[in-house]
Amino acid sequence: MKTLQNQTLLYDRDCPLCNVYTSGFIKTEMLDHNGRKAFCNLTDEEQNFIDLNRASNEIALFDNQSKTVIYGVDSLLKVIGHSIPLVESIGNFKPIKFGLKKSYAFISYNRKVIIPSKIDKTETLQCVPSFNTKYRLIYIVFAAIITSIVLFKFSKLITIIPASNLLRESLIAFGQIGFQALFISKLNFKKQLNYFGNLMTISLMGSFILIPVLILNPIIELPQIALLFWFGLTVSFMLCEHIRRIKLLALPKHLSATWILYRLLVLLLILFL
């Protein structure tokens, strides 16, 4: 690889994805050994020429010699493109770059609900993305749709319960948002959407855990008891994750109880209606 010298990427230390790909740039020698730096460790001098608000939303790449900065997709294309020029050429093609920027923003603005972290109040600089209502709502709907499709596919394997359809699973996926909203109505809009983002991430994680079964079952038809056991393990994991996130977000503990209540009510409706 051709190493990009005297350039430093600013990354969110609390974001696992940011940690992985920035360290990957170092290991593959796309950047030199000083090629990345945690946002919270910026010096006063560096803060003078870096847009801190923009750098919280779009990873910044600053030139240590010229003191110039580029952000987001442009930063990543420059790092990768220095070693693989074709990637930079393709990435800068307007339609592709438009898609890359939208995808980047979708992930960046939602990264704290995808993988939440506890805020360290002792740190002066916090790499926390701006709250963006549009991208948060898009993420919530996206996660609910994926969850609905996976649950529909999985429910078709469970023959001991009434046959399902995509509409029913969609109502269940979106319904949990409305149900939980009853218990957080006193919170401000931002906190509510932050919670709903975390709520749908948990559902999305549960869906991903079910996908291996969907892949395996056509090859080896699994018995009903195995399917139910796997589903039970998935729900148990989701509950533990919900409890963990509630604690991180400093939200009322009873939200985990209502999370369970909603699923019990849904199960009763499916069995007896």
Side-chain angles (χ1 to χ4, degrees):
M1 290 292 181
K2 188 178 178 182
T3 304
L4 184 62
Q5 302 286 345
N6 300 310
Q7 305 282 323
T8 303
L9 270 177
L10 287 183
Y11 72 102
D12 181 357
R13 188 177 63 183
D14 297 319
C15 171
L17 179 60
C18 301
N19 272 285
V20 168
Y21 75 74
T22 55
S23 64
F25 289 151
I26 305 295
K27 290 177 181 177
T28 57
E29 298 184 348
M30 287 187 175
L31 289 170
D32 59 38
H33 66 282
N34 292 318
R36 71 169 189 158
K37 187 173 189 176
F39 181 92
C40 59
N41 293 333
L42 277 173
T43 65
D44 292 338
E45 180 187 356
E46 290 166 341
Q47 292 180 48
N48 290 329
F49 61 88
I50 293 173
D51 184 335
L52 297 181
N53 183 60
R54 187 175 180 184
S56 296
N57 300 319
E58 303 175 73
I59 192 165
L61 178 69
F62 64 90
D63 189 311
N64 297 291
Q65 294 181 331
S66 66
K67 306 301 181 185
T68 55
V69 190
I70 57 176
Y71 301 87
V73 170
D74 290 323
S75 298
L76 300 179
L77 287 176
K78 182 172 182 178
V79 173
I80 300 171
H82 188 72
S83 295
I84 313 173
L86 180 62
V87 171
E88 187 174 19
S89 298
I90 294 173
N92 280 314
F93 182 56
K94 283 187 177 181
I96 293 177
K97 193 168 187 179
F98 176 81
L100 289 174
K101 284 189 171 183
K102 292 300 180 182
S103 299
Y104 184 94
F106 174 76
I107 295 171
S108 181
Y109 283 117
N110 289 299
R111 69 180 189 269
K112 293 299 183 181
V113 298
I114 296 173
I115 305 177
S117 58
K118 191 173 183 178
I119 296 176
D120 187 351
K121 295 181 179 179
T122 63
E123 290 183 347
T124 305
L125 289 175
Q126 299 284 344
C127 192
V128 178
S130 302
F131 180 73
N132 188 295
T133 302
K134 179 182 72 173
Y135 281 108
R136 184 58 45 80
L137 290 174
I138 291 173
Y139 175 74
I140 290 170
V141 172
F142 168 79
I145 290 173
I146 298 299
T147 299
S148 302
I149 294 172
V150 173
L151 284 177
F152 170 60
K153 295 291 185 180
F154 189 82
S155 66
K156 291 172 70 174
L157 303 180
I158 309 295
T159 58
I160 61 175
I161 62 172
S164 180
N165 55 63
L166 190 55
L167 175 60
R168 187 186 83 180
E169 300 305 332
S170 298
L171 289 174
I172 292 173
F174 283 98
Q176 66 178 324
I177 297 173
F179 187 81
Q180 292 294 78
L182 299 173
F183 305 98
I184 58 170
S185 58
K186 293 182 179 180
L187 297 179
N188 64 46
F189 182 68
K190 179 180 177 180
K191 286 187 176 180
Q192 288 189 42
L193 279 191
N194 280 339
Y195 170 67
F196 293 144
N198 278 275
L199 179 68
M200 295 317 301
T201 298
I202 294 167
S203 295
L204 197 57
M205 292 169 71
S207 299
F208 290 157
I209 295 173
L210 294 178
I211 287 176
V213 174
L214 297 179
I215 296 172
L216 181 63
N217 196 71
I219 303 171
I220 305 173
E221 188 172 348
L222 299 170
Q224 291 292 295
I225 189 65
L227 295 172
L228 292 172
F229 178 74
W230 189 254
F231 186 75
L233 285 179
T234 301
V235 173
S236 298
F237 166 79
M238 291 168 64
L239 174 59
C240 291
E241 183 63 13
H242 189 276
I243 293 171
R244 185 184 76 86
R245 289 178 181 241
I246 287 297
K247 187 176 180 180
L248 277 176
L249 297 170
L251 291 174
K253 294 180 180 179
H254 68 255
L255 286 174
S256 291
T258 57
W259 185 90
I260 297 172
L261 176 62
Y262 176 74
R263 277 149 182 77
L264 291 175
L265 290 174
V266 166
L267 179 59
L268 291 174
L269 287 173
I270 291 173
L271 292 176
F272 298 106
L273 288 184

